[in-house]
Amino acid sequence: LLLDDAKPDEAVKEADAAIALSPDALDAMAVRAAAALLADKKADADAWMAKIKAVNPAYGEGYAIVGRHLVLNRRYPEGVAYFRKAVEVDPELWSARSELGINLMRMGEEEEPRQLLEESFKNGQTDAATANSLTLLDSYKDFETTKDDTTILRLKKKEADLLRPYFEEQLHKSIATYEAKYKMKLSGPVQLEVYPDHEDFAVRTMGMPGLGALGVTFGDVVAMDSPSGRKPGDFNWGATMWHEMSHVFILSATKFRVPRWFTEGLAVHEEGQANPNWANRLTPDVVAAIRDKKLLPVTEMDQGFIFPKYPDQVLVSYYQAGTICAYISEKWGNDALLGMVHSFAELKTTPEAIQANLHVTPEEFDKEYGVWLDKRVGSTVANFEKWHEQLKALVKLAAAKDDDAVIAAAPAVIKMYPEYVEDADAYELLANAQLIKGNKQAAADALTEYEKRGGESPGALRKLALLEEELGHPKEAAATLNELNFIYPEDEDLHRRLGGLWLAQGNNAGAVREYGAVVAMKPLDMASAEFDVARAYLAAGDKAKAEESVLASLEAAPGYKPSQKVLLEIEAGK
């Protein structure tokens, strides 16, 4: 447990106490070996494994214990090697055989994991992780995989045509961005797996359902929820994918030696760098933690992720780690962040990496970071209780349809906590009241600020896009609808409207993609959907593709006159 909790020195003391009591305390010896490996002292680890072998040459569980600790610390290839050794010395250790299969799945393999898991299951290893993983392997027949030189994308067949263009675009964009920013190239393609059933994703990552995460990275394999796997507005797949892709690069650059706090913090920071609307979110849970002085010293931050001591500490730790990386970037520059990556690759500790790259002690860093954070959020924290009371009062005013009072009171509520964009936020209440009073520009202004602060309610963003169109701002309307693609792309009307806006603005490739999304959703009116794709292709100058879409339109409805007319024009131009 101490080693799980990233406290190797204390873990070693307990293991030594066990060994002193019993010369065949094999599990304690395995803990010693694991602690040595995690400190990259392979010779010491080998010596402990030799002691295990001398007592019991067939004790595979010792290797399995080491494998579990390596996997817990994201060192998957090494963990797999130790699980292999466990099975080699004890072929009937079915638990280790199952764990080997599950971890090979995490590395993107399928055939060997299936064989290992089936053997384990047939021999009594019928635990939930084994059974669930076999069920998931059986479901892979329902997925579709596309590959190129740098990516492998696995999508559920029923949504592959809709999602593929969006995921492929962001995958390639993130790879190019991180290659330039981190000054490195990956050794092979990245495999991204997208699961519309959240429990399938949970099984894929943990072997068990119930995982609260949105995405998980196993080296160069990423598994994540599909936007259809979450309630609309609860999940931004673009932010999640960019977050996980940062992990891919940082885990590779450090050979999996990076502390959890840093890789998570950097990934959170990168979300906001990819899109300002995705920036680190100051939620009420975080405000309360700051108010109650629950933030951890930077040298203890891993505990906040691995063994949280209060219900929301993991989420608070994500925010703290993300703002720490933002602070480093702001004060010392991105090169300092990259320097810390290199320090961790050289097996430096957090205090050593801070001293080497920021030239302050961890204690000095904590103090200066605290001052910086207070300047950013101190006013919100100080007014938190007052804000909460005033928001409740504002909600009551809105429920009573006292629109003038809402318009008068909302700005003060927003000023006290401008980052709040969750349920019953003041921005939406203000916008609704302004609309009722007929002030469309004021409503649009409120919703624009809501969007900039990271608000992701599909209804609010649709409303904003409509207002922007009505107010004569088609570019802004298109940008808002495009943001919705990262939140809830399974909206036929969204794609039709965005396709029309982009076609009118000359973004023909974007129009092709959006109208193609409508076709992928198999609408009732397939003839007009295919016709819209044809219009976009014609605008882009691709008459061959336009003809294909026109013919598909006429196949759906042979008498559809707009398509008949366009087909005649295409044929006449040949």
Side-chain angles (χ1 to χ4, degrees):
L1 287 171
L2 287 165
L3 200 54
D4 284 352
D5 200 16
K7 296 178 179 176
D9 293 341
E10 295 176 46
V12 164
K13 288 179 183 177
E14 291 294 331
D16 286 347
I19 293 166
L21 288 168
S22 173
D24 60 354
L26 301 181
D27 289 358
M29 295 179 190
V31 168
R32 280 298 244 123
L37 270 179
L38 292 175
D40 281 285
K41 298 177 180 178
K42 190 172 185 307
D44 291 350
D46 290 344
W48 282 108
M49 297 311 296
K51 290 179 181 181
I52 292 175
K53 187 175 181 180
V55 176
N56 183 351
Y59 192 66
E61 181 61 22
Y63 291 96
I65 289 170
V66 176
R68 289 177 201 125
H69 284 293
L70 288 166
V71 165
L72 183 64
N73 286 272
R74 299 186 175 189
R75 288 165 63 169
Y76 301 107
E78 295 168 272
V80 163
Y82 272 82
F83 283 123
R84 284 196 187 281
K85 190 68 175 176
V87 171
E88 179 184 324
V89 301
D90 185 356
E92 296 185 0
L93 185 59
W94 305 112
S95 59
R97 191 177 292 267
S98 171
E99 288 178 278
L100 173 59
I102 289 169
N103 281 286
L104 284 170
M105 283 179 67
R106 289 170 173 166
M107 296 176 70
E109 298 188 31
E110 292 180 35
E111 294 308 315
E112 186 180 5
R114 183 185 296 278
Q115 178 185 343
L116 291 164
L117 289 164
E118 286 178 348
E119 290 171 350
S120 302
F121 192 85
K122 288 175 184 176
N123 284 279
Q125 189 66 33
T126 56
D127 62 294
T130 303
N132 290 338
S133 297
L134 280 168
T135 301
L136 182 62
L137 282 168
D138 288 340
S139 77
Y140 281 177
K141 66 181 182 297
D142 299 323
F143 284 77
E144 186 176 292
T145 302
T146 53
K147 302 179 181 180
D148 57 34
D149 291 342
T150 58
T151 64
I152 301 169
L153 179 60
R154 172 177 284 163
L155 297 165
K156 199 74 175 276
K157 288 178 181 177
K158 66 180 183 180
E159 59 183 16
D161 288 345
L162 170 63
L163 296 183
R164 189 184 304 108
Y166 300 95
F167 276 82
E168 285 182 341
E169 177 188 51
Q170 293 302 311
L171 260 177
H172 289 108
K173 186 176 179 180
S174 65
I175 289 172
T177 298
Y178 290 142
E179 282 181 347
K181 180 172 281 191
Y182 301 146
K183 301 175 183 178
M184 62 173 289
K185 283 187 176 290
L186 298 173
S187 59
V190 178
Q191 180 165 315
L192 176 65
E193 303 171 359
V194 183
Y195 292 89
D197 184 334
H198 175 73
E199 299 306 349
D200 280 349
F201 159 65
V203 169
R204 177 68 178 86
T205 55
M206 301 292 289
M208 297 286 288
L211 179 70
L214 302 171
V216 178
T217 300
F218 306 107
D220 55 4
V221 176
V222 175
M224 63 179 283
D225 275 329
S226 166
S228 64
R230 293 274 181 163
K231 180 183 174 183
D234 284 355
F235 173 49
N236 186 310
W237 69 263
T240 297
M241 198 212 75
W242 278 78
H243 180 109
E244 298 303 328
M245 287 300 294
S246 174
H247 287 330
V248 171
F249 277 81
I250 299 306
L251 291 174
S252 175
T254 61
K255 295 183 173 60
F256 299 85
R257 267 52 168 197
V258 63
R260 189 174 294 267
W261 78 264
F262 184 81
T263 187
E264 295 296 357
L266 186 59
V268 169
H269 174 64
E270 294 293 9
E271 291 178 45
Q273 296 296 296
N275 185 328
N277 294 352
W278 304 344
N280 205 357
R281 190 78 55 79
L282 181 69
T283 63
D285 296 332
V286 175
V287 176
I290 297 172
R291 178 198 61 194
D292 298 338
K293 302 188 184 309
K294 289 184 176 181
L295 299 190
L296 293 170
V298 67
T299 56
E300 298 176 19
M301 280 213 60
D302 273 3
Q303 269 71 49
F305 289 98
I306 301 170
F307 265 68
K309 291 181 172 60
Y310 56 91
D312 300 309
Q313 190 170 15
V314 172
L315 296 176
V316 171
S317 297
Y318 272 101
Y319 176 83
Q320 184 183 356
T323 51
I324 283 175
C325 288
Y327 170 55
I328 292 171
S329 174
E330 184 178 306
K331 182 169 181 177
W332 288 278
N334 286 326
D335 284 347
L337 289 171
L338 186 56
M340 292 185 73
V341 172
H342 294 155
S343 290
F344 292 129
E346 294 164 3
L347 310 183
K348 285 184 168 63
T349 63
T350 290
E352 290 169 340
I354 288 174
Q355 188 71 58
N357 296 282
L358 312 182
H359 312 295
V360 295
T361 65
E363 294 75 19
E364 290 169 333
F365 178 86
D366 287 333
K367 183 178 179 181
E368 293 172 11
Y369 161 74
V371 172
W372 175 86
L373 185 64
D374 186 63
K375 288 180 180 177
R376 286 169 62 108
V377 305
S379 176
T380 297
V381 174
N383 290 311
F384 188 47
E385 298 303 328
K386 183 179 178 182
W387 164 83
H388 192 253
E389 290 302 317
Q390 291 196 14
L391 179 62
K392 287 197 294 184
L394 187 68
V395 170
K396 288 182 179 179
L397 291 172
K401 302 187 185 304
D402 192 343
D403 301 309
D404 288 329
V406 169
I407 291 169
V413 178
I414 290 170
K415 187 176 181 181
M416 279 189 284
Y417 188 173
E419 294 90 348
Y420 184 76
V421 289
E422 298 181 41
D423 292 340
D425 65 276
Y427 294 107
E428 290 184 82
L429 296 175
L430 175 58
N432 290 339
Q434 293 285 16
L435 275 178
I436 290 169
K437 302 296 287 186
N439 195 337
K440 292 183 179 181
Q441 185 61 61
D445 291 343
L447 291 176
T448 297
E449 190 62 25
Y450 168 84
E451 181 184 26
K452 288 179 180 177
R453 294 290 184 176
E456 294 183 342
S457 162
L461 295 180
R462 285 192 206 98
K463 189 179 296 182
L464 173 58
L466 183 61
L467 284 168
E468 287 168 331
E469 278 192 81
E470 291 177 356
L471 292 167
H473 306 298
K475 289 185 178 179
E476 288 81 354
T480 298
L481 291 174
N482 194 46
E483 278 295 306
L484 262 173
N485 273 326
F486 294 106
I487 300 164
Y488 185 54
E490 303 203 9
D491 182 338
E492 182 182 328
D493 182 61
L494 155 68
H495 298 297
R496 285 187 185 275
R497 287 177 60 197
L498 182 53
L501 284 166
W502 271 346
L503 190 61
Q505 294 168 34
N507 182 358
N508 300 320
V512 166
R513 187 187 74 180
E514 293 307 311
Y515 286 138
V518 176
V519 171
M521 297 181 75
K522 297 179 172 54
L524 291 175
D525 187 0
M526 185 63 82
S528 70
E530 288 283 9
F531 172 71
D532 285 336
V533 176
R535 287 196 301 137
Y537 274 126
L538 274 178
D542 192 336
K543 290 186 176 181
K545 288 285 189 182
E547 185 173 11
E548 288 179 16
S549 296
V550 165
L551 291 172
S553 173
L554 290 171
E555 184 178 345
Y560 191 66
K561 294 189 181 300
S563 291
Q564 291 175 341
K565 181 180 178 182
V566 169
L567 181 60
L568 289 173
E569 291 173 358
I570 292 172
E571 293 296 327
K574 286 184 178 180

